[in-house]
Amino acid sequence: MASDAPVGVFGGTFNPVHYGHLRSALELTERLQLEHLRLMPCASPVHRQAPDCSAIDRAAMVELAVRGEARLRCDPRELHREGPSYTIESLEELRAEFGPERSLCLVMGFDAMLQLDTWHRWQELLEVAHIVVIARPGWKLPTSGVVADWLSRHRSSAEEALRLRPFGSVRVEELRPLAISSTEIRTLLRSGYSARYLLPESVLNYIKEHHLYC
């Protein structure tokens, strides 16, 4: 992949990371022709209760999960920053590192996009990155409200949009459904059932070795 290809950022708690995260990440990397995609564990979530698994452990599991796949990387920067994990601050750091011309893409789920107006400095996100929304079959964009107006101004379906500019557009990508959730995995493990084949074996071994989700 060319060194000037777009770079993706996929944030989340990854509590724990599983094949749903990883398959979506890899599909997007290939479909959007990203140089690589960074999975960025959130240290201190703003819109949900803090995970009972430490950010250090969650990042370690992401590192194990992407090992061997050069197009996917773990970016632990939010672990080294105090206070709430605001996405805009991470994007600003990445923009400073990559420079003003490199295309940067923030990946988020459809549900997160619907609540985007509750994010810290959300209207500044497109000043530093594109936004790529992961949609599932049957998705429908909002037709009224602040987010709907925002989408009507910035959404683009053009294949080259992510390459022509370093930031500023919104793209919706429909991916294959892979019905795996971190909540389901935690429930299985706490109930004494196996979570094998829902997440990488290396991650499952880490969970067992560190007595997580008991």
Side-chain angles (χ1 to χ4, degrees):
M1 189 65 63
S3 60
D4 60 347
V7 171
V9 182
F10 185 8
T13 53
F14 301 115
N15 187 32
V17 63
H18 54 69
Y19 283 131
H21 298 130
L22 298 169
R23 183 61 207 175
S24 291
L26 191 58
E27 282 191 27
L28 279 177
T29 299
E30 293 183 335
R31 187 177 300 183
L32 303 179
Q33 299 182 40
L34 305 178
E35 184 197 56
H36 67 270
L37 188 148
R38 298 172 173 229
L39 279 69
M40 185 181 294
C42 177
S44 301
V46 178
H47 294 94
R48 63 174 66 187
Q49 186 177 1
D52 53 4
C53 180
S54 75
I56 292 175
D57 282 324
R58 289 184 283 112
M61 288 187 282
V62 172
E63 288 277 10
L64 289 169
V66 301
R67 187 171 292 172
E69 175 50 72
R71 294 169 293 180
L72 301 181
R73 304 180 187 179
C74 178
D75 190 324
R77 71 182 58 241
E78 292 190 351
L79 278 66
H80 309 307
R81 202 166 62 225
E82 295 183 359
S85 297
Y86 291 128
T87 300
I88 184 64
E89 295 179 358
S90 297
L91 292 176
E92 287 174 336
E93 289 179 4
L94 286 165
R95 174 56 65 202
E97 292 171 18
F98 285 112
E101 301 302 323
R102 189 70 174 271
S103 180
L104 186 61
C105 304
L106 171 66
V107 177
M108 65 173 64
F110 199 79
D111 290 342
M113 182 272 292
L114 294 177
Q115 302 178 35
L116 193 59
D117 58 330
T118 67
W119 287 33
H120 179 63
R121 294 169 54 198
W122 72 279
Q123 291 180 314
E124 298 176 39
L125 293 171
L126 289 180
E127 296 177 8
V128 287
H130 299 287
I131 292 180
V132 177
V133 181
I134 300 175
R136 303 302 180 190
W139 58 274
K140 293 183 179 179
L141 292 175
T143 57
S144 62
V146 175
V147 174
D149 293 342
W150 172 83
L151 279 168
S152 68
R153 295 195 306 271
H154 299 291
R155 187 183 173 204
S156 173
S157 59
E159 291 287 340
E160 67 276 11
L162 301 184
R163 292 177 173 275
L164 292 178
R165 293 191 296 163
F167 53 83
S169 68
V170 179
R171 184 175 178 85
V172 180
E173 288 288 341
E174 184 175 324
L175 302 181
R176 75 182 70 202
L178 200 55
I180 303 174
S181 77
S182 296
T183 300
E184 174 192 15
I185 291 171
R186 296 195 303 270
T187 299
L188 286 171
L189 294 172
R190 286 170 178 150
S191 301
Y193 293 103
S194 174
R196 195 175 191 187
Y197 306 128
L198 296 175
L199 67 174
E201 197 76 12
S202 58
V203 174
L204 191 56
N205 289 337
Y206 185 96
I207 290 171
K208 293 176 181 177
E209 292 169 7
H210 292 80
H211 308 289
L212 305 178
Y213 312 120
C214 295

